């Protein structure tokens, strides 16, 4: 989901919910009863902490609670980061590498002024979201924004590897399942905890459910979800591995299902979703988020 435009102020969204103290994240360390701790990511080194239901209900449902869908009489209210993250060393390295590539895309051959660089968060996921905002606010069309993110994602995998994969391995159910496993093990640093689930069409274990997308929760914008994540990711798996993929975000609870071996529908509901009031660039109305651009893009 490439982030279009600035929102409510340059740093408000970049500050995620505070990271949990390291002392509370050890294997045998006590954990607050008010949070559910989930380990994930490269080497299982990262931690997500979800607030439990105040009423003692289902932790999973409570932790993914997000605003009601837009009805004719009202827009979505807002989305504020409530999940706390502690990135493990390998995930932190992956985020730093991605940030480096995003910065190169932002600068596009013209280095940022020192003042602009200093305005960015220094590191981590906050910096990722801020750089995405920069690309979205650069005057590029939504098509161009998505192309920039696709190029950045493809840059994470050497071109010879992508070429050989598409030549030697043809699309099949086992390839779809393999991509699901790769996503869970290698890309959770970008979206948070996720798990393999059966594909709806045939029950193959070729789909991935993101419990609560980290990027969506922090960016707080439906258009950013589409332009920085959904469309570029779908294109990435097709370009890199020759595999169809469809991302279906659920703006009721912040989750998302990524299904391999399935093409995005021509009339994709994600492209006409309203945004959140917390998005300063067009939230608070019941029409499609203006940052999404034309559905045909």
């Amino acid at each position: 989901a490439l982030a279009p435009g600035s929102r409510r102020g340059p740093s408000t969204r970049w500050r995620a919910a505070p990271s949990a103290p390291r002392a509370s994240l050890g294997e045998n360390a006590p954990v607050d009863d008010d949070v559910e701790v989930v380990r994930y990511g490269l080497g299982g080194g990262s931690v997500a902490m979800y607030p439990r239901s105040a009423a003692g209900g289902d932790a999973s449902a409570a932790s993914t609670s997000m605003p009601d869908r837009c009805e004719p009489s009202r827009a979505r209210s807002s989305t504020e980061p409530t999940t706390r993250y502690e990135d493990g060393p390998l995930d932190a390295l992956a985020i730093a590498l991605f940030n480096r590539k995003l910065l190169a895309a932002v600068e596009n051959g013209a280095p940022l002024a020192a003042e602009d660089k200093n305005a960015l968060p220094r590191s981590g996921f906050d910096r990722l979201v801020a750089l995405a905002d920069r690309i979205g606010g650069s005057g590029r069309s939504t098509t161009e924004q998505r192309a920039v993110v696709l190029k950045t994602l493809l840059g994470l995998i050497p071109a010879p590897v992508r070429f050989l994969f598409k030549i030697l391995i043809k699309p099949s159910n086992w390839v779809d399942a393999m991509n699901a496993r790769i996503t869970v093990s290698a890309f959770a640093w970008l979206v948070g905890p996720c798990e393999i689930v059966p594909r709806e069409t045939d029950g193959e274990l070729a789909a991935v459910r993101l419990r609560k997308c980290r990027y969506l929760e922090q960016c707080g914008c439906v258009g950013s979800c589409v332009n920085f994540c959904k469309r570029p990711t779908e294109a990435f798996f097709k370009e890199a591995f020759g595999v169809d993929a469809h991302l279906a975000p659920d703006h009721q609870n912040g989750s998302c299902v990524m299904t391999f071996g399935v093409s995005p529908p021509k009339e994709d509901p994600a492209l006409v979703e309203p945004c959140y009031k917390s998005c300063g660039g067009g939230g608070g109305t019941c029409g499609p988020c203006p940052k999404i651009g034309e559905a045909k893009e």
Side-chain angles (χ1 to χ4, degrees):
L2 229 196
S6 58
R7 286 187 262 298
R8 301 177 301 167
S11 61
T12 305
R13 270 286 167 193
W14 302 344
R15 296 194 191 99
S19 298
R22 287 187 180 273
S24 69
L25 300 181
E27 291 290 345
N28 301 312
V31 176
D32 193 320
D33 288 340
D34 291 334
V35 298
E36 177 188 1
V37 176
V38 177
R39 288 191 172 274
Y40 72 99
L42 296 167
S46 293
V47 173
M49 303 185 73
Y50 298 100
R52 296 184 188 275
S53 169
D58 177 74
S60 176
S63 66
T64 56
S65 176
M66 289 184 78
D68 291 340
R69 293 179 63 82
C70 179
E71 295 178 356
S73 60
R74 73 178 192 277
R76 280 195 194 101
S77 53
S78 64
T79 173
E80 289 294 340
T82 58
T83 310
R84 291 182 289 163
Y85 294 91
E86 188 72 31
D87 294 311
L90 294 179
D91 282 1
L93 181 62
I95 292 170
L97 174 63
F98 193 59
N99 283 346
R100 183 177 178 181
K101 292 182 176 295
L102 282 178
L103 178 60
V106 168
E107 294 183 323
N108 194 27
L112 290 177
E115 181 180 355
D116 291 331
K117 277 193 174 182
N118 291 337
L120 293 169
R122 293 184 61 85
S123 62
F125 206 83
D126 288 352
R127 184 175 178 87
L128 185 155
V129 175
L131 288 168
D133 280 350
R134 286 272 183 169
I135 294 174
S138 63
R140 295 179 174 94
S141 68
T142 52
T143 299
E144 292 169 336
Q145 293 171 36
R146 297 169 193 175
V148 168
V149 184
L150 173 59
K151 182 179 179 181
T152 304
L153 288 170
L154 290 173
L156 298 175
I157 301 177
V161 173
R162 304 196 308 264
F163 175 77
L164 289 174
F165 190 100
K166 288 190 287 186
I167 292 296
L168 301 176
I169 303 178
K170 301 302 180 184
S172 63
N173 283 339
W174 77 265
V175 171
D176 296 337
M178 180 182 66
N179 276 281
R181 291 194 294 271
I182 290 173
T183 298
V184 170
S185 61
F187 288 100
W189 56 268
L190 186 56
V191 295
C194 48
E195 62 179 343
I196 296 174
V197 296
R199 187 165 57 192
E200 284 190 3
T201 53
D202 56 11
E204 287 282 343
L205 293 177
V208 174
R209 181 181 181 273
L210 317 183
R211 173 166 175 168
K212 187 176 186 182
C213 179
R214 182 178 185 179
Y215 180 77
L216 174 60
E217 182 180 25
Q218 190 163 339
C219 78
C221 176
V222 170
S224 295
C225 166
V226 169
N227 296 328
F228 188 75
C229 183
K230 175 180 163 59
R231 283 307 207 199
T233 301
E234 291 168 346
F236 167 76
F237 280 99
K238 190 68 172 178
E239 287 283 329
F241 306 120
V243 174
D244 289 323
H246 174 224
L247 273 66
D250 184 342
H251 293 291
Q252 279 290 101
N253 57 24
S255 68
C256 181
V257 175
M258 183 186 305
T259 305
F260 295 100
V262 175
S263 300
K266 291 184 178 180
E267 301 295 329
D268 197 325
L271 304 184
V272 293
E273 288 279 357
C275 206
Y276 304 92
K277 288 182 179 177
S278 54
C279 173
T285 64
C286 280
C289 176
K291 296 181 183 178
I292 293 176
E294 296 294 331
K296 64 182 179 181
E297 294 185 82

